[in-house]
Amino acid sequence: MSQNIILTNQEIEHKIKRIAYQIYETFVDEESIVLAGIASNGYLLAEKLATVLTEISSIEVVLCEVKIDKANPNSEIFTSITSDLYQNKGIVLVDDVLNSGSTLMYGVKHFLNVPLKKFKTAVLVDRNHKKYPIKVDFKGISLSTSLHEHVAVVFTENESYAELS
């Protein structure tokens, strides 16, 4: 690990728990919701959120992996579940870091092809460098960085951290 750790494992666990409670409060009247994590770290974060949500609530959590070609976001987006499984449901689109907002924007666009009850977004780190008018509903930390800096979230089996380089 580098010396520029912005979130330790314990801080990430705390933020995940807080975001999970916020999601629960927002969807308290729902029987089930879909956590759609953008591959790969967004999906890992969605899995961690799902674990906490099932511990603190009776809401059924359906996990969905969203595959977006970040180099060519206009190309087809693939999801691990079919659209009939998220139609008329509440969805939370999850990613680890919000940089320019383009990945979340294209992810949101994909899910708008079917009717939804409610749509929210969640990220662990919001870098405040948005090019697009995308709003994050649930975030672990807001971080003002320069455009030349890079934020990486590392999820391992035993320890997770976020670093600035």
Side-chain angles (χ1 to χ4, degrees):
M1 291 192 296
S2 79
Q3 297 301 314
N4 295 321
I5 301 298
I6 55 175
L7 289 173
T8 64
N9 188 64
Q10 185 176 7
E11 290 169 327
I12 288 174
E13 287 178 7
H14 175 75
K15 296 201 180 297
I16 287 170
K17 186 174 271 191
R18 185 172 53 81
I19 292 169
Y21 272 101
Q22 290 173 325
I23 291 170
Y24 176 46
E25 290 169 0
T26 301
F27 292 95
V28 69
D29 295 328
E30 298 299 321
E31 289 180 22
S32 73
I33 62 169
V34 176
L35 293 183
I38 296 174
S40 61
N41 269 2
Y43 185 72
L44 294 173
L45 179 57
E47 287 179 320
K48 292 176 181 298
L49 287 167
T51 299
V52 176
L53 273 166
T54 55
E55 290 171 0
I56 64 172
S57 75
S58 60
I59 297 174
E60 176 195 7
V61 178
V62 177
L63 280 168
C64 172
E65 187 173 22
V66 181
K67 294 185 178 177
I68 298 175
D69 179 357
K70 294 180 182 185
N72 186 15
N74 273 324
S75 62
E76 188 174 0
I77 295 173
F78 297 97
T79 56
S80 61
I81 63 174
T82 58
S83 61
D84 60 310
L85 293 176
Y86 56 79
Q87 185 171 332
N88 297 314
K89 297 252 172 134
I91 291 184
V92 180
L93 184 62
V94 180
D95 205 1
D96 60 339
V97 179
L98 174 63
N99 286 307
S100 68
S102 63
T103 302
L104 273 182
M105 182 67 82
Y106 286 104
V108 167
K109 179 181 173 248
H110 171 79
F111 284 99
L112 295 179
N113 292 327
V114 297
L116 304 172
K117 269 190 179 178
K118 197 180 289 187
F119 193 100
K120 300 289 180 182
T121 56
V123 299
L124 187 60
V125 180
D126 180 355
R127 290 198 49 213
N128 298 323
H129 287 300
K130 296 180 221 34
K131 285 194 243 179
Y132 299 96
I134 188 102
K135 174 182 162 281
V136 179
D137 299 293
F138 314 111
K139 60 185 158 196
I141 186 173
S142 286
L143 190 65
S144 294
T145 61
S146 78
L147 290 171
H148 303 291
E149 292 173 306
H150 179 73
V151 174
V153 177
V154 177
F155 291 115
T156 65
E157 193 171 319
N158 300 324
E159 183 151 354
S160 302
Y161 60 92
E163 65 182 347
L164 180 67
S165 57

